[in-house]
């Protein structure tokens, strides 16, 4: 395992060393020590690497991830796993706002709580949150799955497209065009597979499913106030 101490090396040095692995992979296992809330750690990766960040990370940790598997042993700031394409990101603590924003693929697991706008404009990423999510989560979500094992704040799924949202706890309010939907066998199977991938021991039958009413796909003058 290769260890980079951010008390001794810069974030630029760290990211360059990780990016170099896309050209020739010489080390698959990495450990980052003393992150001290620094921003943009392990961003833009394009190789099947395993990276453990031992401590708290700042903004946009593991952003634009492709193929790599990143674990943060602490909390993260805004935009963790933003625009992720594949691979996985696991946060052992809490996540600030916009976790998984615009993500196209891969798996994001947050073992604590996620703040506002979790999964905003998600485009295929799977997000599993063991705790609660804040207001406006999955706003304009287009594709993928958002699983919340705790509660959800105001305006869940506002103006969403085809994301599947599963919530075990209470939903404070639903956003425009988001409704509760029937939980059929295929959804129980899908949710069970997601929970297994995330390593979360929950009963799929204890969740409710939410999705788009599909009333805002095309402009209707009667719905003008909802746009």
């Amino acid at each position: 395992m290769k260890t980079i101490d951010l008390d001794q090396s810069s974030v630029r040095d760290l990211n360059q060393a990780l990016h170099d692995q896309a050209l020739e992979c010489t080390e698959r296992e990495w450990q980052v020590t003393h992150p001290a809330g620094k921003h943009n750690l392990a961003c833009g990766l394009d190789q099947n690497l395993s990276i453990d960040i031992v401590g708290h990370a700042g903004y946009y940790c593991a952003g634009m991830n492709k193929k790599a598997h990143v674990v943060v042993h602490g909390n993260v700031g805004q935009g963790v796993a933003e625009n992720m394409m594949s691979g996985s990101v696991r946060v052992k603590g809490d996540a600030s706002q916009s976790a998984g924003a615009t993500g196209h693929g891969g798996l994001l697991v947050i073992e604590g709580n996620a703040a506002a706008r979790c999964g905003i404009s998600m485009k295929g990423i799977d997000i599993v949150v063991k705790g609660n999510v804040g207001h406006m989560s999955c706003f304009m979500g287009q594709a993928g799955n958002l699983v919340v094992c705790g509660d959800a704040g105001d305006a869940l799924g506002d103006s969403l497209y085809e994301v599947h949202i599963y919530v075990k706890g209470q939903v404070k309010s639903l956003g425009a065009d988001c409704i509760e939907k029937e939980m059929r066998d295929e959804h129980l199977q899908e949710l069970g597979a997601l929970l297994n991938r995330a390593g979360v021991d929950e009963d799929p039958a204890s969740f409710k499913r939410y999705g788009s009413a599909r009333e805002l796909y095309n402009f209707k003058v009667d719905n003008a106030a909802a746009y």
Side-chain angles (χ1 to χ4, degrees), residues 104-164:
H104 287 254
L107 174 66
L108 169 61
V109 180
I110 298 168
E111 297 191 0
N113 303 305
R117 302 176 184 86
C118 178
I120 182 172
S121 195
M122 53 191 286
K123 297 175 173 66
I125 188 175
D126 292 322
I127 303 174
V128 179
V129 181
K130 291 181 71 173
N132 307 321
V133 297
H135 65 270
M136 296 290 287
S137 287
C138 205
F139 173 57
M140 293 189 71
Q142 296 167 40
N145 297 279
L146 172 62
V147 179
V148 182
C149 300
D151 300 330
D154 276 318
L156 176 69
D158 190 275
S159 304
L160 85 167
Y161 293 83
E162 290 302 318
V163 174
H164 291 176

CSV table of all heavy atoms in Angstrom, one decimal, residues 104-164:
chain,number,residue,atom,x,y,z
A,104,HIS,N,-23.4,10.1,-12.9
A,104,HIS,CA,-23.8,9.3,-14.1
A,104,HIS,C,-23.9,7.8,-13.7
A,104,HIS,O,-24.6,7.0,-14.4
A,104,HIS,CB,-23.0,9.5,-15.3
A,104,HIS,CG,-23.2,10.8,-15.9
A,104,HIS,ND1,-23.8,11.0,-17.1
A,104,HIS,CD2,-22.8,12.1,-15.6
A,104,HIS,CE1,-23.9,12.3,-17.5
A,104,HIS,NE2,-23.3,12.9,-16.5
A,105,GLY,N,-23.1,7.3,-12.8
A,105,GLY,CA,-23.0,5.9,-12.5
A,105,GLY,C,-22.2,5.7,-11.2
A,105,GLY,O,-21.8,6.6,-10.5
A,106,GLY,N,-22.0,4.4,-10.9
A,106,GLY,CA,-21.3,4.0,-9.7
A,106,GLY,C,-22.2,4.0,-8.5
A,106,GLY,O,-23.4,4.3,-8.6
A,107,LEU,N,-21.6,3.8,-7.3
A,107,LEU,CA,-22.3,3.7,-6.0
A,107,LEU,C,-21.7,4.6,-5.0
A,107,LEU,O,-20.5,4.6,-4.8
A,107,LEU,CB,-22.3,2.3,-5.5
A,107,LEU,CG,-22.9,2.0,-4.1
A,107,LEU,CD1,-24.4,2.2,-4.1
A,107,LEU,CD2,-22.5,0.6,-3.6
A,108,LEU,N,-22.6,5.5,-4.4
A,108,LEU,CA,-22.2,6.4,-3.3
A,108,LEU,C,-22.9,5.9,-2.1
A,108,LEU,O,-24.2,5.8,-2.1
A,108,LEU,CB,-22.5,7.8,-3.6
A,108,LEU,CG,-22.4,8.8,-2.5
A,108,LEU,CD1,-21.0,8.9,-1.9
A,108,LEU,CD2,-22.9,10.2,-2.9
A,109,VAL,N,-22.2,5.6,-1.0
A,109,VAL,CA,-22.8,5.2,0.3
A,109,VAL,C,-22.3,6.2,1.3
A,109,VAL,O,-21.1,6.4,1.5
A,109,VAL,CB,-22.3,3.7,0.7
A,109,VAL,CG1,-22.9,3.3,2.0
A,109,VAL,CG2,-22.6,2.7,-0.4
A,110,ILE,N,-23.3,6.7,2.0
A,110,ILE,CA,-23.1,7.6,3.1
A,110,ILE,C,-23.6,7.0,4.4
A,110,ILE,O,-24.8,6.8,4.5
A,110,ILE,CB,-23.8,9.0,2.9
A,110,ILE,CG1,-23.2,9.6,1.6
A,110,ILE,CG2,-23.6,9.9,4.1
A,110,ILE,CD1,-24.0,10.8,1.1
A,111,GLU,N,-22.7,6.7,5.3
A,111,GLU,CA,-23.1,5.9,6.5
A,111,GLU,C,-23.7,6.8,7.5
A,111,GLU,O,-24.4,6.3,8.4
A,111,GLU,CB,-21.9,5.1,7.0
A,111,GLU,CG,-21.4,4.1,6.0
A,111,GLU,CD,-20.4,3.1,6.6
A,111,GLU,OE1,-20.0,3.3,7.8
A,111,GLU,OE2,-19.9,2.2,5.9
A,112,GLY,N,-23.5,8.1,7.4
A,112,GLY,CA,-24.2,9.0,8.3
A,112,GLY,C,-25.4,9.7,7.7
A,112,GLY,O,-26.1,9.1,7.0
A,113,ASN,N,-25.5,11.0,7.8
A,113,ASN,CA,-26.5,11.8,7.2
A,113,ASN,C,-26.0,12.6,6.0
A,113,ASN,O,-24.8,12.9,6.0
A,113,ASN,CB,-27.1,12.8,8.2
A,113,ASN,CG,-27.6,12.1,9.5
A,113,ASN,OD1,-28.5,11.2,9.4
A,113,ASN,ND2,-27.2,12.5,10.7
A,114,ALA,N,-26.9,13.0,5.1
A,114,ALA,CA,-26.5,13.8,4.0
A,114,ALA,C,-27.4,15.1,4.1
A,114,ALA,O,-28.6,15.0,4.4
A,114,ALA,CB,-26.8,13.1,2.7
A,115,ALA,N,-26.7,16.2,3.8
A,115,ALA,CA,-27.4,17.5,3.9
A,115,ALA,C,-28.3,17.8,2.7
A,115,ALA,O,-28.6,16.9,1.9
A,115,ALA,CB,-26.4,18.6,4.2
A,116,ALA,N,-28.6,19.0,2.5
A,116,ALA,CA,-29.6,19.4,1.4
A,116,ALA,C,-29.1,19.0,0.0
A,116,ALA,O,-27.9,18.9,-0.2
A,116,ALA,CB,-29.8,20.9,1.4
A,117,ARG,N,-30.0,18.8,-0.9
A,117,ARG,CA,-29.8,18.5,-2.3
A,117,ARG,C,-29.0,17.3,-2.6
A,117,ARG,O,-28.2,17.2,-3.6
A,117,ARG,CB,-29.2,19.8,-2.9
A,117,ARG,CG,-30.0,21.0,-2.8
A,117,ARG,CD,-29.3,22.3,-3.3
A,117,ARG,NE,-30.2,23.4,-3.1
A,117,ARG,CZ,-30.1,24.1,-1.9
A,117,ARG,NH1,-29.3,23.8,-1.0
A,117,ARG,NH2,-30.9,25.2,-1.8
A,118,CYS,N,-29.1,16.3,-1.7
A,118,CYS,CA,-28.4,15.0,-2.0
A,118,CYS,C,-29.0,14.5,-3.3
A,118,CYS,O,-30.2,14.4,-3.5
A,118,CYS,CB,-28.6,14.1,-0.9
A,118,CYS,SG,-27.9,12.4,-1.1
A,119,GLY,N,-28.1,14.1,-4.3
A,119,GLY,CA,-28.5,13.6,-5.5
A,119,GLY,C,-29.1,14.5,-6.5
A,119,GLY,O,-29.8,14.1,-7.4
A,120,ILE,N,-28.8,15.8,-6.3
A,120,ILE,CA,-29.4,16.8,-7.2
A,120,ILE,C,-29.0,16.5,-8.7
A,120,ILE,O,-27.8,16.3,-8.9
A,120,ILE,CB,-29.0,18.3,-6.8
A,120,ILE,CG1,-29.6,19.3,-7.7
A,120,ILE,CG2,-27.5,18.4,-6.7
A,120,ILE,CD1,-29.4,20.7,-7.3
A,121,SER,N,-29.9,16.5,-9.6
A,121,SER,CA,-29.7,16.3,-11.0
A,121,SER,C,-28.9,15.0,-11.3
A,121,SER,O,-28.1,14.9,-12.2
A,121,SER,CB,-28.9,17.4,-11.6
A,121,SER,OG,-29.0,17.4,-13.0
A,122,MET,N,-29.1,14.0,-10.5
A,122,MET,CA,-28.4,12.7,-10.7
A,122,MET,C,-28.9,12.0,-12.0
A,122,MET,O,-30.0,12.2,-12.4
A,122,MET,CB,-28.7,11.7,-9.5
A,122,MET,CG,-30.1,11.5,-9.1
A,122,MET,SD,-30.3,10.6,-7.5
A,122,MET,CE,-29.9,9.0,-8.0
A,123,LYS,N,-27.9,11.4,-12.6
A,123,LYS,CA,-28.2,10.9,-14.0
A,123,LYS,C,-27.9,9.4,-14.2
A,123,LYS,O,-27.5,9.0,-15.2
A,123,LYS,CB,-27.3,11.7,-15.0
A,123,LYS,CG,-27.7,13.2,-15.0
A,123,LYS,CD,-26.7,14.0,-15.9
A,123,LYS,CE,-27.2,15.4,-16.1
A,123,LYS,NZ,-27.1,16.2,-14.8
A,124,GLY,N,-28.0,8.6,-13.1
A,124,GLY,CA,-27.7,7.2,-13.2
A,124,GLY,C,-26.9,6.6,-12.0
A,124,GLY,O,-26.8,5.4,-11.9
A,125,ILE,N,-26.4,7.5,-11.2
A,125,ILE,CA,-25.7,7.1,-10.0
A,125,ILE,C,-26.7,6.4,-9.0
A,125,ILE,O,-27.9,6.7,-9.0
A,125,ILE,CB,-25.1,8.3,-9.3
A,125,ILE,CG1,-24.1,7.8,-8.1
A,125,ILE,CG2,-26.1,9.3,-8.8
A,125,ILE,CD1,-23.4,9.0,-7.5
A,126,ASP,N,-26.2,5.4,-8.2
A,126,ASP,CA,-27.0,4.9,-7.1
A,126,ASP,C,-26.4,5.5,-5.8
A,126,ASP,O,-25.2,5.4,-5.5
A,126,ASP,CB,-26.9,3.4,-7.1
A,126,ASP,CG,-27.6,2.7,-8.2
A,126,ASP,OD1,-28.6,3.2,-8.6
A,126,ASP,OD2,-27.0,1.7,-8.8
A,127,ILE,N,-27.3,6.0,-4.9
A,127,ILE,CA,-26.9,6.6,-3.7
A,127,ILE,C,-27.7,5.9,-2.6
A,127,ILE,O,-28.9,5.8,-2.6
A,127,ILE,CB,-27.2,8.1,-3.7
A,127,ILE,CG1,-26.5,8.8,-4.8
A,127,ILE,CG2,-26.8,8.7,-2.3
A,127,ILE,CD1,-26.9,10.3,-5.0
A,128,VAL,N,-27.0,5.5,-1.5
A,128,VAL,CA,-27.6,4.9,-0.4
A,128,VAL,C,-27.1,5.6,0.9
A,128,VAL,O,-25.9,5.8,1.1
A,128,VAL,CB,-27.2,3.4,-0.2
A,128,VAL,CG1,-27.8,2.8,1.1
A,128,VAL,CG2,-27.6,2.6,-1.4
A,129,VAL,N,-28.1,6.2,1.6
A,129,VAL,CA,-27.8,7.0,2.8
A,129,VAL,C,-28.4,6.3,4.0
A,129,VAL,O,-29.6,6.0,4.1
A,129,VAL,CB,-28.4,8.4,2.7
A,129,VAL,CG1,-28.1,9.2,4.0
A,129,VAL,CG2,-27.9,9.1,1.4
A,130,LYS,N,-27.5,5.9,5.0
A,130,LYS,CA,-28.0,5.1,6.1
A,130,LYS,C,-28.7,6.0,7.1
A,130,LYS,O,-29.6,5.5,7.9
A,130,LYS,CB,-26.8,4.5,6.8
A,130,LYS,CG,-26.2,3.3,6.0
A,130,LYS,CD,-25.0,2.7,6.8
A,130,LYS,CE,-25.5,1.8,7.9
A,130,LYS,NZ,-24.4,1.1,8.5
A,131,GLY,N,-28.5,7.3,7.1
A,131,GLY,CA,-29.2,8.3,7.9
A,131,GLY,C,-30.2,9.1,7.2
A,131,GLY,O,-31.0,8.5,6.4
A,132,ASN,N,-30.3,10.4,7.5
A,132,ASN,CA,-31.3,11.3,6.9
A,132,ASN,C,-30.7,12.0,5.7
A,132,ASN,O,-29.5,12.2,5.6
A,132,ASN,CB,-31.8,12.2,8.0
A,132,ASN,CG,-32.3,11.5,9.2
A,132,ASN,OD1,-32.9,10.5,9.2
A,132,ASN,ND2,-32.0,12.1,10.4
A,133,VAL,N,-31.6,12.6,4.9
A,133,VAL,CA,-31.2,13.5,3.9
A,133,VAL,C,-32.0,14.9,4.1
A,133,VAL,O,-33.1,14.9,4.6
A,133,VAL,CB,-31.5,13.0,2.4
A,133,VAL,CG1,-30.6,11.8,2.2
A,133,VAL,CG2,-33.0,12.7,2.2
A,134,GLY,N,-31.4,15.9,3.6
A,134,GLY,CA,-31.9,17.3,3.8
A,134,GLY,C,-32.9,17.6,2.7
A,134,GLY,O,-33.3,16.8,1.9
A,135,HIS,N,-33.3,18.9,2.7
A,135,HIS,CA,-34.3,19.4,1.8
A,135,HIS,C,-33.9,19.4,0.4
A,135,HIS,O,-32.7,19.4,0.1
A,135,HIS,CB,-34.8,20.8,2.2
A,135,HIS,CG,-33.8,21.9,2.0
A,135,HIS,ND1,-32.9,22.2,3.1
A,135,HIS,CD2,-33.4,22.6,1.0
A,135,HIS,CE1,-32.1,23.2,2.7
A,135,HIS,NE2,-32.4,23.4,1.4
A,136,MET,N,-34.8,19.3,-0.5
A,136,MET,CA,-34.6,19.3,-2.0
A,136,MET,C,-33.7,18.2,-2.5
A,136,MET,O,-33.0,18.3,-3.5
A,136,MET,CB,-34.0,20.7,-2.4
A,136,MET,CG,-34.9,21.9,-2.2
A,136,MET,SD,-36.3,21.9,-3.3
A,136,MET,CE,-35.6,22.4,-4.9
A,137,SER,N,-33.6,17.1,-1.8
A,137,SER,CA,-32.9,16.0,-2.3
A,137,SER,C,-33.5,15.4,-3.5
A,137,SER,O,-34.7,15.3,-3.7
A,137,SER,CB,-32.8,14.9,-1.2
A,137,SER,OG,-31.9,15.3,-0.2
A,138,CYS,N,-32.7,14.9,-4.4
A,138,CYS,CA,-33.1,14.4,-5.7
A,138,CYS,C,-33.8,15.4,-6.6
A,138,CYS,O,-34.6,15.1,-7.5
A,138,CYS,CB,-33.9,13.2,-5.6
A,138,CYS,SG,-33.9,12.1,-7.0
A,139,PHE,N,-33.5,16.7,-6.4
A,139,PHE,CA,-34.1,17.8,-7.2
A,139,PHE,C,-33.7,17.6,-8.7
A,139,PHE,O,-32.5,17.4,-9.0
A,139,PHE,CB,-33.7,19.1,-6.7
A,139,PHE,CG,-34.1,20.3,-7.6
A,139,PHE,CD1,-35.4,20.5,-7.9
A,139,PHE,CD2,-33.1,21.1,-8.1
A,139,PHE,CE1,-35.7,21.6,-8.7
A,139,PHE,CE2,-33.4,22.2,-8.9
A,139,PHE,CZ,-34.8,22.4,-9.2
A,140,MET,N,-34.6,17.5,-9.6
A,140,MET,CA,-34.4,17.3,-11.0
A,140,MET,C,-33.6,16.0,-11.3
A,140,MET,O,-32.8,15.9,-12.2
A,140,MET,CB,-33.7,18.5,-11.6
A,140,MET,CG,-34.6,19.7,-11.7
A,140,MET,SD,-33.9,21.1,-12.6
A,140,MET,CE,-34.1,20.4,-14.3
A,141,GLY,N,-33.8,15.0,-10.4
A,141,GLY,CA,-33.1,13.7,-10.6
A,141,GLY,C,-33.6,13.0,-11.9
A,141,GLY,O,-34.8,13.0,-12.1
A,142,GLN,N,-32.7,12.6,-12.7
A,142,GLN,CA,-33.1,12.0,-14.0
A,142,GLN,C,-33.0,10.5,-14.1
A,142,GLN,O,-33.9,9.9,-14.7
A,142,GLN,CB,-32.1,12.6,-15.1
A,142,GLN,CG,-32.3,14.1,-15.2
A,142,GLN,CD,-31.2,14.8,-16.0
A,142,GLN,OE1,-30.8,14.3,-17.0
A,142,GLN,NE2,-30.7,16.0,-15.6
A,143,ALA,N,-32.1,9.9,-13.5
A,143,ALA,CA,-32.0,8.4,-13.6
A,143,ALA,C,-31.1,8.0,-12.4
A,143,ALA,O,-30.3,8.7,-11.8
A,143,ALA,CB,-31.3,8.0,-14.9
A,144,GLY,N,-31.3,6.7,-12.0
A,144,GLY,CA,-30.6,6.1,-10.9
A,144,GLY,C,-31.5,5.8,-9.7
A,144,GLY,O,-32.7,5.8,-9.9
A,145,ASN,N,-30.9,5.6,-8.6
A,145,ASN,CA,-31.7,5.3,-7.4
A,145,ASN,C,-31.2,6.0,-6.2
A,145,ASN,O,-29.9,6.1,-6.0
A,145,ASN,CB,-31.6,3.8,-7.1
A,145,ASN,CG,-32.2,2.9,-8.2
A,145,ASN,OD1,-33.4,2.7,-8.2
A,145,ASN,ND2,-31.3,2.4,-9.0
A,146,LEU,N,-32.1,6.5,-5.4
A,146,LEU,CA,-31.7,7.2,-4.1
A,146,LEU,C,-32.4,6.4,-3.0
A,146,LEU,O,-33.7,6.3,-3.0
A,146,LEU,CB,-32.2,8.6,-4.1
A,146,LEU,CG,-32.0,9.4,-2.7
A,146,LEU,CD1,-30.6,9.4,-2.3
A,146,LEU,CD2,-32.6,10.8,-2.8
A,147,VAL,N,-31.6,5.8,-2.1
A,147,VAL,CA,-32.2,5.0,-1.0
A,147,VAL,C,-31.9,5.8,0.3
A,147,VAL,O,-30.7,6.1,0.6
A,147,VAL,CB,-31.5,3.6,-0.9
A,147,VAL,CG1,-32.1,2.8,0.3
A,147,VAL,CG2,-31.8,2.9,-2.2
A,148,VAL,N,-32.9,6.0,1.1
A,148,VAL,CA,-32.7,6.8,2.4
A,148,VAL,C,-33.3,5.9,3.5
A,148,VAL,O,-34.5,5.6,3.6
A,148,VAL,CB,-33.5,8.1,2.4
A,148,VAL,CG1,-33.3,8.9,3.7
A,148,VAL,CG2,-33.1,9.0,1.2
A,149,CYS,N,-32.4,5.5,4.4
A,149,CYS,CA,-32.8,4.6,5.5
A,149,CYS,C,-33.4,5.4,6.7
A,149,CYS,O,-34.0,4.8,7.6
A,149,CYS,CB,-31.6,3.8,6.0
A,149,CYS,SG,-30.9,2.7,4.7
A,150,GLY,N,-33.2,6.7,6.7
A,150,GLY,CA,-33.8,7.6,7.7
A,150,GLY,C,-34.9,8.4,7.2
A,150,GLY,O,-35.7,7.9,6.4
A,151,ASP,N,-34.9,9.7,7.5
A,151,ASP,CA,-36.0,10.6,7.1
A,151,ASP,C,-35.5,11.5,6.0
A,151,ASP,O,-34.3,11.6,5.7
A,151,ASP,CB,-36.4,11.5,8.3
A,151,ASP,CG,-36.9,10.7,9.4
A,151,ASP,OD1,-37.5,9.6,9.2
A,151,ASP,OD2,-36.8,11.1,10.6
A,152,ALA,N,-36.4,12.1,5.2
A,152,ALA,CA,-36.1,13.0,4.2
A,152,ALA,C,-36.8,14.4,4.5
A,152,ALA,O,-37.9,14.4,5.0
A,152,ALA,CB,-36.6,12.5,2.8
A,153,GLY,N,-36.1,15.5,4.1
A,153,GLY,CA,-36.5,16.8,4.4
A,153,GLY,C,-37.6,17.3,3.4
A,153,GLY,O,-38.1,16.5,2.6
A,154,ASP,N,-37.8,18.6,3.4
A,154,ASP,CA,-38.8,19.2,2.5
A,154,ASP,C,-38.5,19.0,1.0
A,154,ASP,O,-37.3,18.9,0.6
A,154,ASP,CB,-38.9,20.7,2.7
A,154,ASP,CG,-39.8,21.0,3.9
A,154,ASP,OD1,-40.9,20.4,4.0
A,154,ASP,OD2,-39.4,21.9,4.7
A,155,ALA,N,-39.6,18.9,0.2
A,155,ALA,CA,-39.5,19.0,-1.3
A,155,ALA,C,-38.6,17.8,-1.9
A,155,ALA,O,-37.9,18.0,-2.8
A,155,ALA,CB,-38.9,20.3,-1.7
A,156,LEU,N,-38.8,16.7,-1.3
A,156,LEU,CA,-38.1,15.5,-1.9
A,156,LEU,C,-38.5,15.3,-3.3
A,156,LEU,O,-39.7,15.3,-3.7
A,156,LEU,CB,-38.5,14.2,-1.0
A,156,LEU,CG,-37.9,12.9,-1.5
A,156,LEU,CD1,-36.4,12.9,-1.4
A,156,LEU,CD2,-38.5,11.7,-0.8
A,157,GLY,N,-37.5,15.1,-4.2
A,157,GLY,CA,-37.8,14.7,-5.6
A,157,GLY,C,-38.5,15.8,-6.4
A,157,GLY,O,-39.1,15.5,-7.4
A,158,ASP,N,-38.3,17.1,-6.0
A,158,ASP,CA,-38.9,18.1,-6.8
A,158,ASP,C,-38.5,18.1,-8.3
A,158,ASP,O,-37.3,18.1,-8.6
A,158,ASP,CB,-38.5,19.5,-6.2
A,158,ASP,CG,-39.3,20.6,-6.7
A,158,ASP,OD1,-38.9,21.2,-7.8
A,158,ASP,OD2,-40.3,21.0,-6.1
A,159,SER,N,-39.5,18.1,-9.1
A,159,SER,CA,-39.2,18.2,-10.6
A,159,SER,C,-38.4,17.0,-11.1
A,159,SER,O,-37.6,17.2,-12.1
A,159,SER,CB,-38.6,19.5,-11.0
A,159,SER,OG,-39.4,20.6,-10.6
A,160,LEU,N,-38.5,15.9,-10.5
A,160,LEU,CA,-37.7,14.8,-10.9
A,160,LEU,C,-38.2,14.1,-12.2
A,160,LEU,O,-39.3,14.4,-12.6
A,160,LEU,CB,-37.6,13.7,-9.8
A,160,LEU,CG,-38.6,12.6,-9.7
A,160,LEU,CD1,-38.2,11.5,-8.8
A,160,LEU,CD2,-39.9,13.2,-9.2
A,161,TYR,N,-37.4,13.3,-12.8
A,161,TYR,CA,-37.7,12.6,-14.0
A,161,TYR,C,-38.0,11.1,-13.7
A,161,TYR,O,-39.0,10.7,-13.3
A,161,TYR,CB,-36.6,12.7,-15.1
A,161,TYR,CG,-36.5,14.2,-15.6
A,161,TYR,CD1,-35.8,15.1,-14.9
A,161,TYR,CD2,-37.2,14.6,-16.8
A,161,TYR,CE1,-35.7,16.4,-15.4
A,161,TYR,CE2,-37.1,15.9,-17.2
A,161,TYR,CZ,-36.4,16.8,-16.5
A,161,TYR,OH,-36.3,18.1,-17.0
A,162,GLU,N,-36.9,10.2,-13.8
A,162,GLU,CA,-37.2,8.8,-13.6
A,162,GLU,C,-36.3,8.1,-12.6
A,162,GLU,O,-36.1,6.9,-12.6
A,162,GLU,CB,-37.0,8.1,-15.0
A,162,GLU,CG,-38.1,8.4,-16.0
A,162,GLU,CD,-39.5,8.1,-15.5
A,162,GLU,OE1,-39.7,7.0,-14.9
A,162,GLU,OE2,-40.4,8.9,-15.7
A,163,VAL,N,-35.9,8.9,-11.6
A,163,VAL,CA,-35.2,8.3,-10.5
A,163,VAL,C,-36.1,7.5,-9.6
A,163,VAL,O,-37.3,7.9,-9.4
A,163,VAL,CB,-34.5,9.4,-9.6
A,163,VAL,CG1,-33.9,8.8,-8.3
A,163,VAL,CG2,-33.4,10.1,-10.4
A,164,HIS,N,-35.7,6.4,-9.1
A,164,HIS,CA,-36.5,5.6,-8.1
A,164,HIS,C,-36.0,6.1,-6.7
A,164,HIS,O,-34.8,6.0,-6.4
A,164,HIS,CB,-36.2,4.1,-8.2
A,164,HIS,CG,-36.9,3.5,-9.5
A,164,HIS,ND1,-36.7,2.2,-9.8
A,164,HIS,CD2,-37.6,4.1,-10.4
A,164,HIS,CE1,-37.4,2.0,-11.0
A,164,HIS,NE2,-37.9,3.1,-11.3
